[in-house]
Amino acid sequence: MLEYINDSIKLTKDNIISTVERRKKELESVCKLLEKNIEKAPEGCLRVSVSNGKVQYYYKENSKKSRRKYIPKSDKKLAYLLAQKDYNRKVLVALYKELDVMKWICSHYYPEKIQELYDKTPISRKMLITPIILSDGEYIKCWEAQEYEHMGFKENMPEYYTAKGERVRSKSEIMIADTLYRRGIPYRYEYPIRLQGIGTVHADFYCLNVKTRKEFVWEHFGMMDNDVYSNGAVEKLEKYMQNNYWPGMNFIATFESAMHPLSTKLIEANIQKYLT
């Protein structure tokens, strides 16, 4: 049960608050627009009557007064404006209520409280407790400790090593691995993933966004000017998507050719976009 909870709580305050703040700004913008439209709308209100299957529109200067004035077809624009004003007012009330909720969340949402309860627990008691939510450090430690079978290297293959001494298959993979390592992004090199329709593949990099605790596959396709390789890359991408690995959602793809080598700027941009 606790393992399930730890695995399911992935959104941090920053993620949720940023989403709520974005929604709050959208609501405030729409509310201002509606307020202006209501202010510019004609005075009075609309009344609709249906008699013998015919719809008739009436204008009232004040909703509390009983006297009403028939709106002829020649002045139907007035009916449109009054109906729109009435609708805008109802939408505005609904938006104000939602806006109050967004404001309440921004001022009251505090998920760190759960972690603080554990952090403030005396060590003598911590020894007896399994925390509901692991700290980032503990989560990374558990994530990196997972064992898996690595791919081997054929004899006489060029040897490339990353800054932390890990052997990889190309200079481009060194660039990616070293940038991940420097930015403190946990990753597993050539982690095995089972894909229907293709079998087990070893993802170049299986990365963890610590903030959201979401995992990303990162595949680098390094010989795109080779027809055989590029066709295989397209097939591999299709298989990933058929298995619910989608670019921008949980999958990162980088490409290069002899004329367009991989750049550190692009690596940094992907890390900033998806892994931090």
Side-chain angles (χ1 to χ4, degrees):
M1 177 64 180
L2 292 178
E3 183 178 345
Y4 167 77
I5 293 174
N6 269 309
D7 190 54
S8 63
I9 299 178
K10 296 181 183 296
L11 290 179
T12 65
K13 181 176 181 179
D14 288 343
N15 301 109
I16 293 177
I17 291 300
S18 63
T19 301
V20 172
E21 285 284 3
R22 184 167 59 251
R23 178 62 175 170
K24 186 165 76 72
K25 289 181 180 178
E26 291 173 353
L27 293 176
E28 289 172 342
S29 177
V30 175
C31 285
K32 287 182 180 179
L33 180 62
L34 290 176
E35 288 166 355
K36 288 182 179 179
N37 288 341
I38 291 171
E39 187 178 341
K40 293 179 181 179
E43 294 291 335
C45 58
L46 179 72
R47 289 293 179 265
V48 181
S49 175
V50 180
S51 178
N52 298 322
K54 293 184 177 180
V55 179
Q56 294 179 323
Y57 300 108
Y58 294 88
Y59 167 75
K60 296 185 67 175
E61 289 186 10
N62 190 301
S63 59
K64 294 181 180 180
K65 294 181 180 180
S66 59
R67 187 176 180 181
R68 60 186 186 178
K69 180 180 179 182
Y70 175 70
I71 301 176
K73 289 184 178 180
S74 59
D75 196 19
K76 201 171 184 180
K77 182 180 179 181
L78 176 62
Y80 282 116
L81 294 173
L82 293 173
Q84 186 66 49
K85 182 178 71 171
D86 184 52
Y87 169 75
N88 288 349
R89 280 176 172 167
K90 291 177 181 178
V91 171
L92 197 57
V93 171
L95 292 183
Y96 282 151
K97 290 181 179 178
E98 185 180 346
L99 195 54
D100 286 340
V101 173
M102 299 297 106
K103 291 177 180 178
W104 188 93
I105 293 174
C106 288
S107 60
H108 290 80
Y109 182 66
Y110 189 61
E112 292 91 343
K113 181 65 176 179
I114 300 174
Q115 183 63 44
E116 286 182 2
L117 290 172
Y118 179 74
D119 292 340
K120 292 179 180 179
T121 300
I123 296 177
S124 57
R125 283 182 172 270
K126 277 186 179 179
M127 297 170 62
L128 307 174
I129 295 173
T130 300
I132 296 298
I133 302 176
L134 294 176
S135 66
D136 287 346
E138 291 169 331
Y139 192 91
I140 292 170
K141 187 177 180 180
C142 292
W143 192 87
E144 291 182 327
Q146 181 173 333
E147 296 183 357
Y148 61 93
E149 187 174 346
H150 294 73
M151 289 180 65
F153 292 87
K154 295 179 181 179
E155 291 186 15
N156 301 321
M157 283 187 65
E159 295 188 17
Y160 301 99
Y161 291 91
T162 67
K164 66 176 184 178
E166 186 175 38
R167 187 177 178 183
V168 294
R169 299 180 186 277
S170 69
K171 293 180 180 179
S172 294
E173 287 188 346
I174 290 178
M175 292 169 60
I176 296 172
D178 285 353
T179 308
L180 290 170
Y181 182 58
R182 178 171 52 80
R183 294 290 299 272
I185 308 298
Y187 70 87
R188 301 170 187 156
Y189 180 65
E190 293 190 337
Y191 182 69
I193 298 173
R194 183 76 179 175
L195 299 180
Q196 291 185 359
I198 195 173
T200 299
V201 299
H202 291 260
D204 291 338
F205 299 93
Y206 194 69
C207 308
L208 174 67
N209 183 319
V210 177
K211 186 180 290 185
T212 63
R213 300 191 178 179
K214 183 178 180 180
E215 295 162 332
F216 283 79
V217 167
W218 188 330
E219 288 281 11
H220 178 64
F221 300 97
M223 298 186 295
M224 294 304 291
D225 43 5
N226 181 300
D227 289 342
V228 175
Y229 180 92
S230 60
N231 286 329
V234 171
E235 182 181 3
K236 193 174 186 180
L237 280 169
E238 289 178 348
K239 294 301 180 184
Y240 267 116
M241 288 186 284
Q242 289 169 8
N243 284 267
N244 289 320
Y245 287 94
W246 297 97
M249 183 181 296
N250 55 1
F251 186 87
I252 301 169
T254 48
F255 306 86
E256 70 174 312
S257 65
M259 294 294 292
H260 298 280
L262 179 65
S263 70
T264 55
K265 187 176 181 180
L266 181 61
I267 296 171
E268 291 278 2
N270 276 287
I271 291 174
Q272 186 66 34
K273 177 71 175 178
Y274 302 113
L275 300 175
T276 60

